[in-house]
Amino acid sequence: MSRIAARFSKLKTEGRGAFIPFLEAYDPDLATSTAILHGMPGAGADLIEIGMPFTDPMADGPTIQTAGLRGLKAGATLPKTLTMVSDFRTHDADTPVILMGYLNPILSYGADKFCADAAKAGVDGLIVVDLPSEEADWLAGAAAANALDIIRLVAPTTDDARLPQVLNGSSGFVYYVSIAGITGTRTATAEHLAAAIPRVRRATDLPIAIGFGIRTPAQAAEAARAADAVVVASALIDTLAASLDPEGRAAANSVQLVLDQVRGLAEAVRSVAK
Amino acid sequence: MSPTERPNTLRSGPDGRGRFGGFGGRFVAETLMPLVLSVEAAYEAAKRDPGFQLELDRYLRDYVGRPSPLWFAERLTKQLGGAKVYFKRDELNHTGSHKINNCMGQILLANRMGKTRIIAETGAGQHGVATATVCALFGLPCTVYMGTTDVERQAPNVFRMKLLGAEVVPVSSGAGTLKDAMNDAMRDWVANVDDTYYLIGTVAGPHPYPAMVRDFQSIIGTEARAQMLAAEGRLPTIAVAAIGGGSNAMGLFHPFLDDPDVRLMGVEAAGRGLDTNQHAASLSRGRPGVLHGNRTYLLQDDDGQITEAHSISAGLDYPGIGPEHSWLHEIGRVEYTAATDQEALDAFQLCCRAEGIIPALEPAHALAHVTKIAPTMPKDDIVLMNMCGRGDKDIFAVAEHLGVKL
């Protein structure tokens, strides 16, 4: 059983949902992002999503755009992001790690080689934002050959006729993009989630995560009631960014501030009995 | 596809997946995918509807001023001392460039789709002005994304767009040029899926845009081909066009693709030189990758990060190129070359004095190449160049480069 499937199955027996915090690799530097990554499981992360910096992240709002640029400025590359994961794996064998990013750096690395190296580093799944199901074959074979889950996005614009096509070839879990928009901007209403999640649920047996627009513990708890997992990204990055000095350097308490926020969000998710 | 496996026609692409050979496709986030598919369905329906073409023809004739003339540049020909040089004068269109051809087609499509808000990206501002113009004509609100660098160097066009009622949103990410404007236009689209139509200005983006924009721009080559036959009784020896994203070039080339005796030459922006890191020559110096919804040649570093382009011409300052050009490059049907900022400036001034035409800096790149090849060709050969825009918008930038204070 894959790490992702094992984790969701364990949480099911515990009767609770999963909390998935996000960090951008090398934001604002290797040491800080490594400390955040390593501290996340202890702060309540059930799975971890790591952003692979890209110059042109078209689905992301200003918060993650800026985080990516800070990461690139600090020297982030795909190989170095994989090294972050393999380093994490020497401390933590169980927490699933999902890489999120855009297709071009992966194609530049070579899809086959990237999937092989990612699996070797201990990566469990990939979210490639600009790879819709229509273009899935650029990565599907390589990911399957290396037992990497391809986690697809389902959006409010994905209608019932299209859902099966998007879900076909998805594995690990399904990522429901709760708003039509870019990351870190709007928040979905409880009514929207109450209608949307059962619609996706009818079309798949995979766990469903909700992401985009979840910022507070209260919103996280609400999302946890509707779905199986909750992703928070921009709110954590905003906290990190606010702690940086004017030159963009981390402060002594940057890591702590982010991990405290992770803890608060994780507790809110755990407070919801499933 | 190798040259030996060429199909009978080079004009049948793209395939059902929106691909020209290995290029093109639809690389957008799932949120946008249903919208992209709806644009494709609407465009296919419009193509089958004779009423759509009739309506477009009327607007192109009575509002845009088509057909644009074909001009024998006699004084320039004499000065260059070789092949006869003809200009396809798309700079005479309403709004001053070829961009309106595409905007006219897409605004009719947006209307058919019931969309009530239009967004666009622009580099030089020519596409922004053309979009703002058709939005004014149809009474639709218009938001144009434009990089901060371009807002500064194309100030007259920014004011023009505002006069036409458009909102111009400066984009400060990246180098503040066309690439960044396109990123933010796509972010706007994904956040306004119900009412908004994204009117892309070049032959790039997710399918069906590269094919649709090409189709709307092909009127350039269709007219030029007939006008050439009427004027000279034969086709040109070489057809030349400047390339940023590549819409004016695709429009000129496409009707000639199946005329094997017509050499086709695309001129990229070599900026400060192809061997510096300040140019916009995606085909000459880039490699295939995925950006802005399509797979095509891109300027990128070893890690697949997109690198900044540079050109004196805001309209050519883009690190990618339309996917059909990437395919035509790989099969060798079109030859792609480049002209530097300085060569374009020289050609700009030459054209002003030799022909009484102030060209935009974009076609000045094409003209720079014409000044290199025409003198080497026999006098009865013909070079057809697309004069895709006029240079009124560029006089401030040119003055600055020439050290003249206005």
Side-chain angles (χ1 to χ4, degrees), chain B residues 236-272:
Chain B
T237 318
I238 301 181
V240 183
I243 297 191
S247 70
N248 96 80
M250 243 7 274
L252 179 68
F253 294 165
H254 196 256
F256 290 105
L257 287 180
D258 290 336
D259 297 311
D261 294 336
V262 179
R263 278 176 75 187
L264 303 172
M265 305 187 89
V267 185
E268 294 189 297
R272 301 202 166 94

mmCIF file of all heavy atoms in Angstrom, chain B residues 236-272:
data_model
loop_
_atom_site.group_PDB
_atom_site.id
_atom_site.type_symbol
_atom_site.label_atom_id
_atom_site.label_comp_id
_atom_site.label_asym_id
_atom_site.label_seq_id
_atom_site.Cartn_x
_atom_site.Cartn_y
_atom_site.Cartn_z
ATOM 1 N N PRO B 236 5.259 35.674 -54.883
ATOM 2 C CA PRO B 236 6.548 36.229 -54.470
ATOM 3 C C PRO B 236 7.619 35.140 -54.373
ATOM 4 O O PRO B 236 7.298 33.963 -54.194
ATOM 5 C CB PRO B 236 6.251 36.819 -53.093
ATOM 6 C CG PRO B 236 5.068 36.059 -52.596
ATOM 7 C CD PRO B 236 4.252 35.737 -53.815
ATOM 8 N N THR B 237 8.858 35.542 -54.501
ATOM 9 C CA THR B 237 9.971 34.613 -54.309
ATOM 10 C C THR B 237 10.109 34.280 -52.830
ATOM 11 O O THR B 237 10.301 33.128 -52.450
ATOM 12 C CB THR B 237 11.294 35.256 -54.792
ATOM 13 O OG1 THR B 237 11.049 35.948 -56.020
ATOM 14 C CG2 THR B 237 12.379 34.212 -54.968
ATOM 15 N N ILE B 238 10.000 35.339 -52.023
ATOM 16 C CA ILE B 238 10.131 35.187 -50.572
ATOM 17 C C ILE B 238 9.061 36.041 -49.895
ATOM 18 O O ILE B 238 8.811 37.170 -50.311
ATOM 19 C CB ILE B 238 11.517 35.666 -50.075
ATOM 20 C CG1 ILE B 238 12.644 34.887 -50.752
ATOM 21 C CG2 ILE B 238 11.638 35.533 -48.556
ATOM 22 C CD1 ILE B 238 14.038 35.286 -50.288
ATOM 23 N N ALA B 239 8.441 35.502 -48.859
ATOM 24 C CA ALA B 239 7.547 36.297 -48.012
ATOM 25 C C ALA B 239 8.182 36.399 -46.626
ATOM 26 O O ALA B 239 8.668 35.400 -46.087
ATOM 27 C CB ALA B 239 6.164 35.657 -47.918
ATOM 28 N N VAL B 240 8.194 37.615 -46.094
ATOM 29 C CA VAL B 240 8.920 37.885 -44.838
ATOM 30 C C VAL B 240 7.982 38.536 -43.825
ATOM 31 O O VAL B 240 7.207 39.428 -44.175
ATOM 32 C CB VAL B 240 10.104 38.844 -45.092
ATOM 33 C CG1 VAL B 240 10.914 39.072 -43.810
ATOM 34 C CG2 VAL B 240 11.008 38.314 -46.189
ATOM 35 N N ALA B 241 8.101 38.124 -42.566
ATOM 36 C CA ALA B 241 7.318 38.761 -41.503
ATOM 37 C C ALA B 241 8.073 38.690 -40.183
ATOM 38 O O ALA B 241 8.867 37.770 -39.952
ATOM 39 C CB ALA B 241 5.954 38.087 -41.352
ATOM 40 N N ALA B 242 7.818 39.670 -39.330
ATOM 41 C CA ALA B 242 8.405 39.684 -37.988
ATOM 42 C C ALA B 242 7.647 38.722 -37.085
ATOM 43 O O ALA B 242 6.466 38.453 -37.310
ATOM 44 C CB ALA B 242 8.331 41.090 -37.405
ATOM 45 N N ILE B 243 8.341 38.237 -36.041
ATOM 46 C CA ILE B 243 7.708 37.276 -35.149
ATOM 47 C C ILE B 243 7.969 37.591 -33.680
ATOM 48 O O ILE B 243 9.120 37.652 -33.248
ATOM 49 C CB ILE B 243 8.228 35.851 -35.422
ATOM 50 C CG1 ILE B 243 7.837 35.449 -36.835
ATOM 51 C CG2 ILE B 243 7.657 34.881 -34.407
ATOM 52 C CD1 ILE B 243 8.057 34.015 -37.121
ATOM 53 N N GLY B 244 6.882 37.816 -32.940
ATOM 54 C CA GLY B 244 6.965 37.823 -31.483
ATOM 55 C C GLY B 244 6.260 36.559 -31.052
ATOM 56 O O GLY B 244 6.858 35.495 -30.937
ATOM 57 N N GLY B 245 4.954 36.635 -30.861
ATOM 58 C CA GLY B 245 4.144 35.427 -30.712
ATOM 59 C C GLY B 245 3.919 34.797 -32.083
ATOM 60 O O GLY B 245 3.820 33.597 -32.224
ATOM 61 N N GLY B 246 3.839 35.658 -33.099
ATOM 62 C CA GLY B 246 3.812 35.148 -34.464
ATOM 63 C C GLY B 246 2.498 35.269 -35.209
ATOM 64 O O GLY B 246 2.285 34.568 -36.200
ATOM 65 N N SER B 247 1.604 36.188 -34.797
ATOM 66 C CA SER B 247 0.290 36.199 -35.447
ATOM 67 C C SER B 247 0.318 36.837 -36.836
ATOM 68 O O SER B 247 -0.342 36.351 -37.756
ATOM 69 C CB SER B 247 -0.765 36.880 -34.576
ATOM 70 O OG SER B 247 -0.569 38.275 -34.456
ATOM 71 N N ASN B 248 1.087 37.921 -37.005
ATOM 72 C CA ASN B 248 1.092 38.515 -38.350
ATOM 73 C C ASN B 248 1.813 37.598 -39.324
ATOM 74 O O ASN B 248 1.430 37.479 -40.491
ATOM 75 C CB ASN B 248 1.690 39.942 -38.299
ATOM 76 C CG ASN B 248 3.153 40.022 -38.631
ATOM 77 O OD1 ASN B 248 3.534 40.007 -39.786
ATOM 78 N ND2 ASN B 248 4.016 40.085 -37.614
ATOM 79 N N ALA B 249 2.846 36.909 -38.833
ATOM 80 C CA ALA B 249 3.595 35.984 -39.693
ATOM 81 C C ALA B 249 2.736 34.778 -40.075
ATOM 82 O O ALA B 249 2.691 34.371 -41.242
ATOM 83 C CB ALA B 249 4.868 35.523 -38.984
ATOM 84 N N MET B 250 2.007 34.215 -39.099
ATOM 85 C CA MET B 250 1.146 33.067 -39.422
ATOM 86 C C MET B 250 0.085 33.483 -40.424
ATOM 87 O O MET B 250 -0.257 32.743 -41.341
ATOM 88 C CB MET B 250 0.466 32.565 -38.143
ATOM 89 C CG MET B 250 0.758 31.174 -37.658
ATOM 90 S SD MET B 250 2.007 30.169 -38.417
ATOM 91 C CE MET B 250 1.086 29.440 -39.745
ATOM 92 N N GLY B 251 -0.438 34.722 -40.225
ATOM 93 C CA GLY B 251 -1.470 35.221 -41.133
ATOM 94 C C GLY B 251 -0.953 35.391 -42.549
ATOM 95 O O GLY B 251 -1.654 35.107 -43.523
ATOM 96 N N LEU B 252 0.276 35.839 -42.669
ATOM 97 C CA LEU B 252 0.859 35.986 -44.009
ATOM 98 C C LEU B 252 1.237 34.630 -44.604
ATOM 99 O O LEU B 252 0.965 34.349 -45.775
ATOM 100 C CB LEU B 252 2.120 36.872 -43.946
ATOM 101 C CG LEU B 252 2.826 37.079 -45.293
ATOM 102 C CD1 LEU B 252 1.971 37.927 -46.234
ATOM 103 C CD2 LEU B 252 4.200 37.728 -45.110
ATOM 104 N N PHE B 253 1.854 33.770 -43.784
ATOM 105 C CA PHE B 253 2.427 32.525 -44.311
ATOM 106 C C PHE B 253 1.379 31.473 -44.671
ATOM 107 O O PHE B 253 1.543 30.743 -45.650
ATOM 108 C CB PHE B 253 3.372 31.889 -43.279
ATOM 109 C CG PHE B 253 4.607 32.693 -42.977
ATOM 110 C CD1 PHE B 253 5.379 32.404 -41.843
ATOM 111 C CD2 PHE B 253 5.031 33.720 -43.812
ATOM 112 C CE1 PHE B 253 6.530 33.131 -41.552
ATOM 113 C CE2 PHE B 253 6.185 34.457 -43.530
ATOM 114 C CZ PHE B 253 6.931 34.161 -42.385
ATOM 115 N N HIS B 254 0.334 31.357 -43.834
ATOM 116 C CA HIS B 254 -0.537 30.188 -43.941
ATOM 117 C C HIS B 254 -1.085 29.969 -45.350
ATOM 118 O O HIS B 254 -1.040 28.846 -45.860
ATOM 119 C CB HIS B 254 -1.652 30.260 -42.894
ATOM 120 C CG HIS B 254 -2.337 28.956 -42.680
ATOM 121 N ND1 HIS B 254 -3.584 28.663 -43.182
ATOM 122 C CD2 HIS B 254 -1.921 27.836 -42.040
ATOM 123 C CE1 HIS B 254 -3.905 27.427 -42.860
ATOM 124 N NE2 HIS B 254 -2.926 26.898 -42.156
ATOM 125 N N PRO B 255 -1.578 31.024 -46.027
ATOM 126 C CA PRO B 255 -2.087 30.796 -47.392
ATOM 127 C C PRO B 255 -0.998 30.436 -48.407
ATOM 128 O O PRO B 255 -1.323 30.027 -49.525
ATOM 129 C CB PRO B 255 -2.748 32.144 -47.735
ATOM 130 C CG PRO B 255 -3.108 32.731 -46.400
ATOM 131 C CD PRO B 255 -1.950 32.355 -45.524
ATOM 132 N N PHE B 256 0.271 30.565 -48.028
ATOM 133 C CA PHE B 256 1.378 30.204 -48.934
ATOM 134 C C PHE B 256 2.037 28.869 -48.589
ATOM 135 O O PHE B 256 2.982 28.458 -49.261
ATOM 136 C CB PHE B 256 2.469 31.285 -48.899
ATOM 137 C CG PHE B 256 2.078 32.607 -49.529
ATOM 138 C CD1 PHE B 256 1.769 33.713 -48.748
ATOM 139 C CD2 PHE B 256 2.053 32.749 -50.919
ATOM 140 C CE1 PHE B 256 1.434 34.931 -49.324
ATOM 141 C CE2 PHE B 256 1.719 33.967 -51.516
ATOM 142 C CZ PHE B 256 1.403 35.062 -50.709
ATOM 143 N N LEU B 257 1.575 28.216 -47.527
ATOM 144 C CA LEU B 257 2.288 27.022 -47.057
ATOM 145 C C LEU B 257 2.375 25.933 -48.122
ATOM 146 O O LEU B 257 3.363 25.199 -48.194
ATOM 147 C CB LEU B 257 1.617 26.451 -45.797
ATOM 148 C CG LEU B 257 1.826 27.248 -44.498
ATOM 149 C CD1 LEU B 257 1.090 26.558 -43.348
ATOM 150 C CD2 LEU B 257 3.310 27.399 -44.163
ATOM 151 N N ASP B 258 1.338 25.839 -48.964
ATOM 152 C CA ASP B 258 1.332 24.785 -49.988
ATOM 153 C C ASP B 258 1.856 25.280 -51.337
ATOM 154 O O ASP B 258 1.634 24.627 -52.364
ATOM 155 C CB ASP B 258 -0.076 24.200 -50.137
ATOM 156 C CG ASP B 258 -0.469 23.381 -48.911
ATOM 157 O OD1 ASP B 258 0.434 22.888 -48.207
ATOM 158 O OD2 ASP B 258 -1.683 23.234 -48.659
ATOM 159 N N ASP B 259 2.508 26.430 -51.345
ATOM 160 C CA ASP B 259 3.187 26.917 -52.557
ATOM 161 C C ASP B 259 4.691 26.698 -52.360
ATOM 162 O O ASP B 259 5.388 27.580 -51.851
ATOM 163 C CB ASP B 259 2.922 28.420 -52.769
ATOM 164 C CG ASP B 259 1.444 28.717 -53.003
ATOM 165 O OD1 ASP B 259 0.834 28.029 -53.844
ATOM 166 O OD2 ASP B 259 0.906 29.626 -52.342
ATOM 167 N N PRO B 260 5.190 25.526 -52.755
ATOM 168 C CA PRO B 260 6.574 25.177 -52.395
ATOM 169 C C PRO B 260 7.612 26.130 -52.971
ATOM 170 O O PRO B 260 8.733 26.207 -52.435
ATOM 171 C CB PRO B 260 6.746 23.764 -52.958
ATOM 172 C CG PRO B 260 5.632 23.588 -53.935
ATOM 173 C CD PRO B 260 4.519 24.479 -53.512
ATOM 174 N N ASP B 261 7.259 26.864 -54.031
ATOM 175 C CA ASP B 261 8.250 27.771 -54.609
ATOM 176 C C ASP B 261 8.371 29.090 -53.855
ATOM 177 O O ASP B 261 9.264 29.890 -54.139
ATOM 178 C CB ASP B 261 7.905 28.059 -56.076
ATOM 179 C CG ASP B 261 8.045 26.798 -56.913
ATOM 180 O OD1 ASP B 261 8.805 25.892 -56.485
ATOM 181 O OD2 ASP B 261 7.391 26.697 -57.978
ATOM 182 N N VAL B 262 7.457 29.322 -52.935
ATOM 183 C CA VAL B 262 7.531 30.561 -52.154
ATOM 184 C C VAL B 262 8.301 30.277 -50.862
ATOM 185 O O VAL B 262 7.863 29.492 -50.021
ATOM 186 C CB VAL B 262 6.118 31.097 -51.824
ATOM 187 C CG1 VAL B 262 6.220 32.376 -50.992
ATOM 188 C CG2 VAL B 262 5.329 31.337 -53.099
ATOM 189 N N ARG B 263 9.475 30.915 -50.741
ATOM 190 C CA ARG B 263 10.239 30.780 -49.488
ATOM 191 C C ARG B 263 9.587 31.660 -48.433
ATOM 192 O O ARG B 263 9.192 32.785 -48.719
ATOM 193 C CB ARG B 263 11.689 31.245 -49.677
ATOM 194 C CG ARG B 263 12.595 30.221 -50.299
ATOM 195 C CD ARG B 263 13.980 30.819 -50.517
ATOM 196 N NE ARG B 263 14.747 30.950 -49.286
ATOM 197 C CZ ARG B 263 15.927 31.565 -49.220
ATOM 198 N NH1 ARG B 263 16.445 32.160 -50.289
ATOM 199 N NH2 ARG B 263 16.586 31.628 -48.082
ATOM 200 N N LEU B 264 9.491 31.134 -47.229
ATOM 201 C CA LEU B 264 8.864 31.882 -46.135
ATOM 202 C C LEU B 264 9.923 32.139 -45.067
ATOM 203 O O LEU B 264 10.632 31.207 -44.660
ATOM 204 C CB LEU B 264 7.693 31.093 -45.552
ATOM 205 C CG LEU B 264 6.603 30.716 -46.573
ATOM 206 C CD1 LEU B 264 5.582 29.766 -45.953
ATOM 207 C CD2 LEU B 264 5.914 31.973 -47.105
ATOM 208 N N MET B 265 10.031 33.390 -44.649
ATOM 209 C CA MET B 265 11.052 33.727 -43.654
ATOM 210 C C MET B 265 10.456 34.516 -42.505
ATOM 211 O O MET B 265 9.841 35.564 -42.708
ATOM 212 C CB MET B 265 12.181 34.525 -44.308
ATOM 213 C CG MET B 265 12.785 33.793 -45.497
ATOM 214 S SD MET B 265 14.245 34.630 -46.150
ATOM 215 C CE MET B 265 15.509 33.875 -45.155
ATOM 216 N N GLY B 266 10.651 34.004 -41.286
ATOM 217 C CA GLY B 266 10.200 34.674 -40.070
ATOM 218 C C GLY B 266 11.394 35.326 -39.387
ATOM 219 O O GLY B 266 12.465 34.733 -39.320
ATOM 220 N N VAL B 267 11.201 36.535 -38.906
ATOM 221 C CA VAL B 267 12.311 37.286 -38.297
ATOM 222 C C VAL B 267 12.019 37.508 -36.817
ATOM 223 O O VAL B 267 11.116 38.255 -36.450
ATOM 224 C CB VAL B 267 12.519 38.637 -39.010
ATOM 225 C CG1 VAL B 267 13.754 39.332 -38.444
ATOM 226 C CG2 VAL B 267 12.647 38.443 -40.517
ATOM 227 N N GLU B 268 12.804 36.850 -35.978
ATOM 228 C CA GLU B 268 12.669 37.036 -34.536
ATOM 229 C C GLU B 268 13.484 38.253 -34.096
ATOM 230 O O GLU B 268 14.329 38.758 -34.842
ATOM 231 C CB GLU B 268 13.184 35.795 -33.792
ATOM 232 C CG GLU B 268 12.349 34.550 -34.044
ATOM 233 C CD GLU B 268 12.750 33.398 -33.129
ATOM 234 O OE1 GLU B 268 13.906 32.909 -33.206
ATOM 235 O OE2 GLU B 268 11.917 32.989 -32.319
ATOM 236 N N ALA B 269 13.255 38.673 -32.862
ATOM 237 C CA ALA B 269 13.986 39.820 -32.324
ATOM 238 C C ALA B 269 15.286 39.337 -31.683
ATOM 239 O O ALA B 269 15.266 38.576 -30.719
ATOM 240 C CB ALA B 269 13.138 40.543 -31.294
ATOM 241 N N ALA B 270 16.411 39.781 -32.242
ATOM 242 C CA ALA B 270 17.718 39.389 -31.697
ATOM 243 C C ALA B 270 18.189 40.349 -30.609
ATOM 244 O O ALA B 270 19.282 40.176 -30.063
ATOM 245 C CB ALA B 270 18.758 39.312 -32.815
ATOM 246 N N GLY B 271 17.375 41.358 -30.277
ATOM 247 C CA GLY B 271 17.705 42.253 -29.167
ATOM 248 C C GLY B 271 19.092 42.837 -29.278
ATOM 249 O O GLY B 271 19.452 43.454 -30.288
ATOM 250 N N ARG B 272 19.884 42.626 -28.255
ATOM 251 C CA ARG B 272 21.264 43.140 -28.278
ATOM 252 C C ARG B 272 22.217 42.124 -28.905
ATOM 253 O O ARG B 272 23.437 42.304 -28.855
ATOM 254 C CB ARG B 272 21.709 43.495 -26.864
ATOM 255 C CG ARG B 272 20.797 44.540 -26.228
ATOM 256 C CD ARG B 272 21.460 45.307 -25.092
ATOM 257 N NE ARG B 272 20.656 46.483 -24.769
ATOM 258 C CZ ARG B 272 19.709 46.513 -23.814
ATOM 259 N NH1 ARG B 272 19.491 45.442 -23.076
ATOM 260 N NH2 ARG B 272 19.020 47.611 -23.586
#
